[in-house]
Amino acid sequence: MRRSPGRAARAAGRVRDCERRPMPRPCGADPGLRRPPLARHRGRQCPRHETHDRFRRSLVARIAGRVRRFAGSIARRRCVSHAGLDKKLVLIVNKLMSILQETPELPANPPNPVDRAWGKAHPRIATGMHRPVTAMLGTAPYTSPRDAARKPRDQCDDGGDLGRENEREGGFGMHKPTRRTLLSSIGATAGSAAVYRTMDALGMLGPGAAHVATPDLAPGSGEGGHVVILGAGVSGLAAAREMSKAGWRCTVLEATNRPGGRNLTARGGDVLAERGMRQEVCFDPEDHLYANLGPARIPYHHRTVLGYCKEFGIDLEVFTNDNRAALFHDSTRFGGRPVVARRVLTDMRGYVAELLAKAIDRGSLDAKLTSDDKERVRAMLTSFGGLKEDRGYAGTNRAGYQGATVHAGLQAGDVEEVLDFSELLGADFWQYKLHFSHFLNQNPTLFQPVGGMDAIVRAFAERAGHLVQYGCVVLQIRRQDRGVRIVYRDPGGAERAVSADFAICTIPAPVLKDIPNDFSSETQTAIESLEFVEAVKVAFQARRRFWEDDSAIYGGISWTDSDITQIWYPCNGYHRPKGVLVGAYIWSSGPGQRYSAMSGPERLRAALAEGEPLHPGYAGEMECGISRAWLNVPFQNGGWPRTNPDAAATLREGDGPFHFAGDQVTALPGWQEGALLAAHAAAGAIHRQFTGR
Amino acid sequence: MRRSPGRAARAAGRVRDCERRPMPRPCGADPGLRRPPLARHRGRQCPRHETHDRFRRSLVARIAGRVRRFAGSIARRRCVSHAGLDKKLVLIVNKLMSILQETPELPANPPNPVDRAWGKAHPRIATGMHRPVTAMLGTAPYTSPRDAARKPRDQCDDGGDLGRENEREGGFGMHKPTRRTLLSSIGATAGSAAVYRTMDALGMLGPGAAHVATPDLAPGSGEGGHVVILGAGVSGLAAAREMSKAGWRCTVLEATNRPGGRNLTARGGDVLAERGMRQEVCFDPEDHLYANLGPARIPYHHRTVLGYCKEFGIDLEVFTNDNRAALFHDSTRFGGRPVVARRVLTDMRGYVAELLAKAIDRGSLDAKLTSDDKERVRAMLTSFGGLKEDRGYAGTNRAGYQGATVHAGLQAGDVEEVLDFSELLGADFWQYKLHFSHFLNQNPTLFQPVGGMDAIVRAFAERAGHLVQYGCVVLQIRRQDRGVRIVYRDPGGAERAVSADFAICTIPAPVLKDIPNDFSSETQTAIESLEFVEAVKVAFQARRRFWEDDSAIYGGISWTDSDITQIWYPCNGYHRPKGVLVGAYIWSSGPGQRYSAMSGPERLRAALAEGEPLHPGYAGEMECGISRAWLNVPFQNGGWPRTNPDAAATLREGDGPFHFAGDQVTALPGWQEGALLAAHAAAGAIHRQFTGR
Ligand SMILES: Cc1cc2nc3c(=O)[nH]c(=O)nc-3n(C[C@H](O)[C@H](O)[C@H](O)COP(=O)(O)OP(=O)(O)OC[C@H]3O[C@@H](n4cnc5c(N)ncnc54)[C@H](O)[C@@H]3O)c2cc1C
Ligand SMILES: Cc1cc2nc3c(=O)[nH]c(=O)nc-3n(C[C@H](O)[C@H](O)[C@H](O)COP(=O)(O)OP(=O)(O)OC[C@H]3O[C@@H](n4cnc5c(N)ncnc54)[C@H](O)[C@@H]3O)c2cc1C
């Protein structure tokens, strides 16, 4: 049951309650996630369940944009005053809500959906007064060498709106006319993926071009084809979305009651089910009080995920891995007390720099370095490590200042003492934990969708959710004629079958391996050889953001040698009264198995005890907690596959009419990017089989 | 002139236009920043100029919070649809606006302002159903050692609301009763600063406690005293706010027409004035299209700035310094082409690790390391540098993969080639630029206020702006009897004088040194010895976020060896159509002087040319640009003081009735934290002089 909320919260709740059930046809029991007060909703029609057109979405996006901007401007500028405003605001919000819930007739010809990608849906403010920057530069406009080579200057000067307008209509602006003309004709004849590849070949994309590299499926190319997609995680949803756009008939079978699979954001009132366990999520109903129990971060180079975020208008905020105020804790070192990351990193760099500088001074690298090189390495090391003139390390203010004030204040104060070298050497974080953010997928900048990772699922479900049959458990995967026959149990418990030309199977290997099938033995062997990580997360709602208030920790990760492995501080809701903190993120076998074997309350108790050394008084700060052991989640049976390139390669090849997707078939296990790339690849392969290419 | 905006924009503009003139009494010409269409506003009364009470602010905060949360829930959940909604929304927004602009009678006894700090102003959602987490844990609740020592368990279990309610009324909850009782009596008798110090002494604050360590000024303690504050930058505003709260009569004289001084956010329509130069800011009127031309980032340990942000309810978002997708550019290395930060950092670490590992292998550090130590250092280096088994460095996937795809995709691909060691050694970024984010004030997590740094100025001006006399140029600073006499030119051009008991002078040293005064010769010498940095920023509005689209750069900084020094990518508006990019951030002398000597268009042209090697086609992407050379700004004459601890210490001591503030008197020159700490210190010193302590 939800707690009785305030008036405004109740008004907003009206939207919230129906919105948070994104499946058009909820059917049967949901072993994954369920909200208990179902009765509250049965009698009520949620408008979104009635229409699924793009036009509505675009309007909503515009409204949302305006309300958000308006609210932002109020919030930022606050040029307002009224004692009785509070009540009136509630009335207005109610009014607004009731208008928002009307469902009108839709226009016969909704405008081209391409214009409605986020940002494009915002009303264009007339920018006729804009002159290109070159026009502002007075008499001698600067011409870049590339511009100069490309086109006469005066053509360039009237760019601005004109160029953009043309672009929007599919024409081409003033810049890069020849390339654009070329690309235009490629686009017209061979589709956008071909344009993308051409741009890539021409070097027009740069090192990390933003794109949704959708498979090269020309519109209509799937007409007459039928594909059945097993599983409605992000991989299955992306396959359904892209293939249905190309004209394929798509049937998506999903065992649970919700789309998203591992992409799961828990909010107050949700119910989390594991085998033999049921937890109600206890968080307050505020926007920032949620926990991403599956995926939580998106690195900048996951261009497919980010491309979809851009296309779908999903707001992003920075996710912080590397926070120098966070803690490193090894129960056997430094008296079992945690050490702030800033000190560990600074001193580690200092010691490394000193050691190398000394070795160079002793001539032991003379064979490898010229004397010029040596000077440069020395200079670098001095800066790298914060060494003194004599190239010794004796601490630097990068580690902070002693006492309550970390920074220099009125006067500089005393620099933190240097951590003992042998304690540091012996500590478990000395090795890889210190370097975590240097791993490619943990590099800054990382993002999270504002309000929860499932924004991605919602966006896909808005576009392809109508293709999904929920509560339908796949029982057999069969070959038939030149296609497939999938036997499943429907939400009523009846056994049914669907035949199709192809199947894309995104069911995670630990589940898939036990489903009777007609796969080749190589395929079956590959499936069986994929081992999934025993991933566990625990999340607590804290009554006070003690990590910010007491320790100046804003987001980021603390590390410990106990089973909880990590504590994540929320990267949102900064300075607000409460916060949801990830109190354990476990992915190694021993700890994962131990936590998976515990009951819900046991997990919370253990995680509180293990967090205590990092934050004395920890348990007393928490209002409630939840946990998720993916090993025990029906239809998942694990977190993600341990790296196994051979098995992944075998599955990527497909098996006749069967194709395999999900992160499990890629070199990016444990990342949505892999799941999406695999969906695109499977769709492309089927397309080639279908069209005989 | 503003461009003609859409309907909603116009509706919002009503708030915006008056809000963006935060000064209650605009008077005289503003050499700093002025919006040209003054005529538009003269006839209209902006409600904020009529009342300045805290009660109104609290209401506004609550409204803002609700509208924001409501908008957020719409935006996130989008369970809405209506073709005509757009129009209706505008009507509602207009209605809302008109209500917001009513100015009612104020209640006689506004509630205690302390309750209205951000977050506290939000309506409390009844959380009566909340049990503390321990109550969820079944029969054997986990008790932290500290809790156990502190109080019987059953007292703890009914904490929750009760504890908090008590707290709000000044009583104390169930937790830590003895400490709290103690603190309570300290608070009642000696004020909040004493409580803070006591908590600090008791070790209750932790290493980086969040607080606004305001000076220990008991309410009413300044009654009968008069202080004149010279300058209304953040330092002067903070002094005025804290001292007026304590009962001081405060007169703030500010030469320009706006509060904030160096804290300056430029938005479309603003006019930037330097000596002999006037630039109109050309950015589109969207919330994310602004440039912070002075302060732009707040590190996590600047507890005074962040404490005010929390107290004032200023929303924060992450500011990224260290983005591994950003670029390093040395025009003489790597063929003059930029190299992505990820590769530079990875290879630098690889080479350093290899060199040190080799030196250890050769036994050259045997005297310094035991054989156990050596093993541990080797293991660390392997992880640090991504070394192979033989401890050689031959590249790692941390540098990314070759070609358009940075990350591993379906399959792993080819790791980036290792950068040439001697090129790397010779490059100018090999030294300190690589390590920039390790400097204490550049450490993650950093923040920026959502919508612009001047949110801080606005918040101060809401509280203390009525004490400021704008357009009043200080001409002489004199001693008189036992106080001060300040001669100034008022906005009408008349010379006037104000007498007071004390003066706090925040006027930047390069201006202050030329104002006739009665300072001691030590003071005058110290002022003259402060050298200010020739800081310059250039900002461009790009028609396309090419850095994101083409290079996957989201926020962060690229470095180059040309004068522009840095390019900053915006840490907001991700994926939106346009963005404002800082095209130069200069603080070293030569480049600063060169750019300061240029005209506006020359600066833009030069900055475009210098950015071109980092982003081919750069100039063609820009719609317009602006620049700010702080050396040429009247009443500033520079960016911030170069480190000069002696001069700062002299000024911190004060000079009879004269006290000095601003970042210039601290160990944090160039940081608002210093400016605020100095204001608190000056207020505290005056308080001690006044009360004879
Ligand atoms: C703890 C954790 C942390 C993670 N962190 C990140 C991160 O930070 N960033 C990131 O990008 N990725 C992360 N990931 C990985 C990410 O969650 C996955 O890559 C992605 O969600 C996989 O999507 P999928 O569609 O391939 O599989 P799934 O989401 O597993 O979807 C498979 C679907 O098949 C359904 N199904 C199973 N059996 C049947 C059956 N018999 N009949 C019908 N349907 C069936 C399931 O119910 C499920 O809906 C994380 C994962 C976990 C578990
Ligand atoms: C380019 C740049 C980047 C910066 N980056 C950061 C950053 O990222 N983070 C950060 O925290 N800080 C940063 N700073 C530093 C920060 O701006 C300052 O520390 C802070 O704003 C100083 O405030 P102040 O009140 O001491 O001085 P100021 O803001 O300079 O205020 C002094 C006031 O005195 C007025 N005045 C001058 N002469 C007279 C006169 N004769 N009569 C009356 N009034 C007069 C001026 O008009 C001005 O309003 C940056 C500064 C610059 C220039």
Side-chain angles (χ1 to χ4, degrees), chain A residues 619-639:
Chain A
E621 305 280 8
M622 303 306 182
E623 289 181 328
C624 68
I626 53 165
S627 64
R628 183 83 159 170
W630 286 94
L631 187 65
N632 304 340
V633 175
F635 307 111
Q636 295 290 169
N637 296 0

Side-chain angles (χ1 to χ4, degrees), chain A residues 323-373:
Chain A
N323 177 350
R324 303 293 161 75
L327 305 172
F328 284 104
H329 173 248
D330 178 331
S331 51
T332 70
R333 298 286 159 176
F334 300 105
R337 282 194 309 275
V339 193
V340 71
R342 184 179 58 242
R343 294 181 66 189
V344 176
L345 271 173
T346 299
D347 290 348
M348 186 272 292
R349 291 165 70 96
Y351 285 126
V352 166
E354 180 183 23
L355 286 175
L356 183 50
K358 293 272 151 78
I360 291 174
D361 288 351
R362 269 182 215 134
S364 68
L365 292 164
D366 284 0
K368 292 193 71 99
L369 300 170
T370 68
S371 66
D372 262 15
D373 285 353

Side-chain angles (χ1 to χ4, degrees), chain B residues 205-259:
Chain B
L205 291 174
H211 65 282
V212 183
T214 47
D216 189 6
L217 308 179
S221 64
E223 233 44 89
H226 182 195
V227 60
V228 58
I229 297 167
L230 313 184
V234 291
S235 196
L237 290 168
R241 197 249 177 174
E242 299 305 335
M243 293 190 78
S244 62
K245 269 175 64 180
W248 285 85
R249 181 176 156 212
C250 298
T251 306
V252 187
L253 301 175
E254 166 55 51
T256 72
N257 252 343
R258 52 171 276 279

Side-chain angles (χ1 to χ4, degrees), chain A residues 28-238:
Chain A
D30 175 10
L33 176 98
R34 185 154 44 90
R35 278 165 206 84
L38 269 173
R40 275 183 65 196
H41 300 278
R42 275 199 191 116
R44 215 192 291 149
Q45 266 294 31
C46 178
R48 64 164 312 149
H49 298 158
E50 295 167 7
T51 58
H52 294 276
D53 65 289
R54 294 197 180 96
F55 181 62
R56 205 202 49 183
R57 280 198 308 277
S58 93
L59 274 177
V60 171
R62 294 173 68 175
I63 293 154
R66 288 209 180 164
V67 173
R68 204 177 335 161
R69 278 201 302 279
F70 164 64
S73 82
I74 298 283
R76 275 208 309 114
R77 301 201 182 92
R78 300 186 182 175
C79 183
V80 291
S81 90
H82 194 297
L85 179 55
D86 238 356
K87 252 184 236 148
K88 291 196 187 171
L89 185 71
V90 172
L91 291 177
I92 288 170
V93 166
N94 284 341
K95 180 96 205 289
L96 193 50
M97 295 307 310
S98 69
I99 292 173
L100 290 172
Q101 296 196 342
E102 283 173 38
T103 36
E105 289 302 319
L106 293 162
N109 289 315
N112 177 2
V114 172
D115 284 353
R116 308 240 149 47
W118 193 88
K120 296 203 181 164
H122 292 291
R124 296 245 168 224
I125 288 153
T127 47
M129 289 191 52
H130 257 175
R131 295 154 300 161
V133 69
T134 42
M136 298 180 58
L137 300 181
T139 46
Y142 165 75
T143 308
S144 82
R146 183 163 143 185
D147 275 349
R150 211 148 54 200
K151 66 223 163 275
R153 193 72 227 162
D154 49 353
Q155 273 200 357
C156 186
D157 276 355
D158 58 6
D161 265 354
L162 222 157
R164 200 179 41 234
E165 279 306 321
N166 283 349
E167 229 172 286
R168 223 194 307 171
E169 291 159 24
F172 295 94
M174 296 302 176
H175 295 281
K176 310 183 194 154
T178 49
R179 279 182 169 181
R180 290 213 173 158
T181 314
L182 170 65
L183 293 174
S184 163
S185 30
I186 294 172
T189 55
S192 67
V195 170
Y196 172 75
R197 285 205 214 93
T198 311
M199 289 179 72
D200 202 5
L202 292 174
M204 288 170 72
L205 292 174
H211 65 282
V212 183
T214 47
D216 189 7
L217 308 180
S221 63
E223 239 34 276
H226 181 194
V227 60
V228 57
I229 297 168
L230 313 184
V234 292
S235 195
L237 290 168

